[in-house]
Amino acid sequence: RQRRAAVADLDKQPLDVARADYGSSIRDGAALVTLAAETGIAKSEAPRLVDVVARAYRSRTYTSTQEQAWLLMAAKARGDETAATRVSVAGKRVEGAKALSLSVAELQAGAIDIVNDGEEPPDVVVSVIGAAMTPEPALAKGLTIERSYYALDGTKLELASATGGASEIRQNDRMVAVLKIESREPGGRVLLVDRLPAGLEIENPRLVDSGDISSLDWLTSTLKPEHTEFRDDRFVAAFNLFADKPANGVAGQAKTTSGSTAPVAYIVRAVTPGSYVHPAATVEDMYRPERHARSAAGRLTIKASR
């Protein structure tokens, strides 16, 4: 009975909704596909389950770690069932599942014929992987991120590299990097990452949190990160926008409303002279990765101290 209910409810789930159990319709569907393939339970419904998951997957640009893990398990389970598949790829006989990687040169050389030599129709999936040749532009989808820099006395600095332009500072200059994120929807587990230009280093991360910089007391916020990391090459902060405890018996109730904002800050020092890429800052809902944002990337020059 539970199996039938799970299968029946699968394609009724909304594709993009905040859930405190890290789940989604894609993750749940992939888990059911895995269960059907490995145990034989609901085996007759497996093709429909695969179709439901495939439709949901095609509607998304990104997938979460939970979804990726269960999709991999589902692919493995379904792959074990394809031992009887017989196809010919470019004239060569292939039995069972086959992964084929093609370079740009091979694709440009001409078409590759795939012929089904078996009795059952096989599935063919094409994936394209590549890296952009130019920096990606700023964007905001469900989340927004704003990056700015201040002097230690609270004066705002016009650092154009933080927003896609070019800037110049001096070796040993110290600045406070301030990032503000805004969630247009309630709920979610959000990760903020601000990658540093190679010539900058994070300095004494406790100063801002301890309130030692009184001129920046406006940075205080009721929405505090659950976790922060001050690495050599980046600053990381994680926010949980769900309630810590169920309210009115409803688990995963959002503790934030749409338009909730949170500022975070850290101190950097210009250490090594040179010209560097100022990477984009990013924020992402880890379990609804369609909700993400990034700033523009710029160019930062650090001049040697006099």
Side-chain angles (χ1 to χ4, degrees):
R1 182 179 300 175
Q2 291 178 337
R3 168 184 61 81
R4 289 195 298 269
V7 173
D9 288 345
L10 179 61
D11 50 8
K12 298 178 183 178
Q13 296 184 32
L15 295 180
D16 187 20
V17 62
R19 287 172 51 181
D21 66 350
Y22 309 98
S24 68
S25 58
I26 292 179
R27 186 201 70 170
D28 295 349
L32 285 173
V33 170
T34 305
L35 179 66
E38 291 181 346
T39 66
I41 297 175
K43 192 169 184 177
S44 62
E45 291 153 321
R48 187 176 76 84
L49 290 173
V50 171
D51 186 57
V52 170
V53 174
R55 289 201 312 270
Y57 181 80
R58 286 194 297 268
S59 71
R60 299 274 290 278
T61 306
Y62 299 93
T63 50
S64 71
T65 52
Q66 283 276 326
E67 291 166 340
Q68 292 166 11
W70 279 102
L71 285 169
L72 179 62
M73 293 176 67
K76 169 63 169 60
R78 291 286 292 174
D80 291 343
E81 295 182 324
T82 62
T85 300
R86 303 288 185 271
V87 297
S88 295
V89 180
K92 295 181 180 180
R93 185 73 175 269
V94 176
E95 297 184 359
K98 173 68 175 180
L100 183 65
S101 298
L102 301 172
S103 66
V104 173
E106 289 172 317
L107 292 173
Q108 292 175 339
I112 297 175
D113 295 327
I114 300 177
V115 179
N116 182 18
D117 296 330
E119 298 181 358
E120 297 294 328
D123 292 326
V124 179
V125 179
V126 178
S127 299
V128 179
I129 301 174
M133 297 295 291
T134 57
E136 295 180 302
L139 65 75
K141 296 184 66 175
L143 297 168
T144 61
I145 184 168
E146 178 184 329
R147 178 171 61 184
S148 54
Y149 287 83
Y150 291 79
L152 269 61
D153 62 3
T155 304
K156 186 172 183 178
L157 302 175
E158 298 300 326
L159 201 69
S161 62
T163 55
S167 298
E168 181 179 302
I169 59 176
R170 284 282 177 183
Q171 187 181 19
N172 293 322
D173 282 353
R174 299 170 69 208
M175 305 177 293
V176 179
V178 177
L179 297 108
K180 184 174 72 173
I181 63 172
E182 180 175 351
S183 175
R184 298 176 183 172
E185 302 172 27
R189 291 179 173 85
V190 174
L191 185 69
L192 164 69
V193 179
D194 186 24
R195 295 168 178 83
L196 299 175
L200 296 184
E201 289 185 3
I202 296 177
E203 181 180 86
N204 200 350
R206 296 183 179 179
L207 280 179
V208 174
D209 287 341
S210 65
D212 287 353
I213 305 178
S214 58
S215 59
L216 296 179
D217 55 3
W218 52 268
L219 284 173
T220 57
S221 170
T222 57
L223 186 57
K224 298 290 186 182
E226 287 202 330
H227 176 75
T228 55
E229 293 183 13
F230 301 89
R231 302 185 185 179
D232 289 340
D233 65 340
R234 71 192 66 188
F235 168 78
V236 180
F239 295 87
N240 181 6
L241 307 186
F242 287 108
D244 295 329
K245 297 180 180 179
N248 301 323
V250 180
Q253 180 184 14
K255 65 181 177 184
T256 58
T257 59
S258 59
S260 296
T261 61
V264 289
Y266 62 95
I267 300 172
V268 292
R269 179 190 290 271
V271 176
T272 308
S275 179
Y276 307 101
V277 171
H278 197 152
T282 61
V283 61
E284 176 183 343
D285 187 322
M286 297 304 294
Y287 300 96
R288 285 189 296 164
E290 285 290 319
R291 301 176 65 232
H292 63 279
R294 67 172 173 264
S295 67
R299 172 67 61 173
L300 179 66
T301 300
I302 300 177
K303 293 290 187 179
S305 59
R306 298 182 182 88

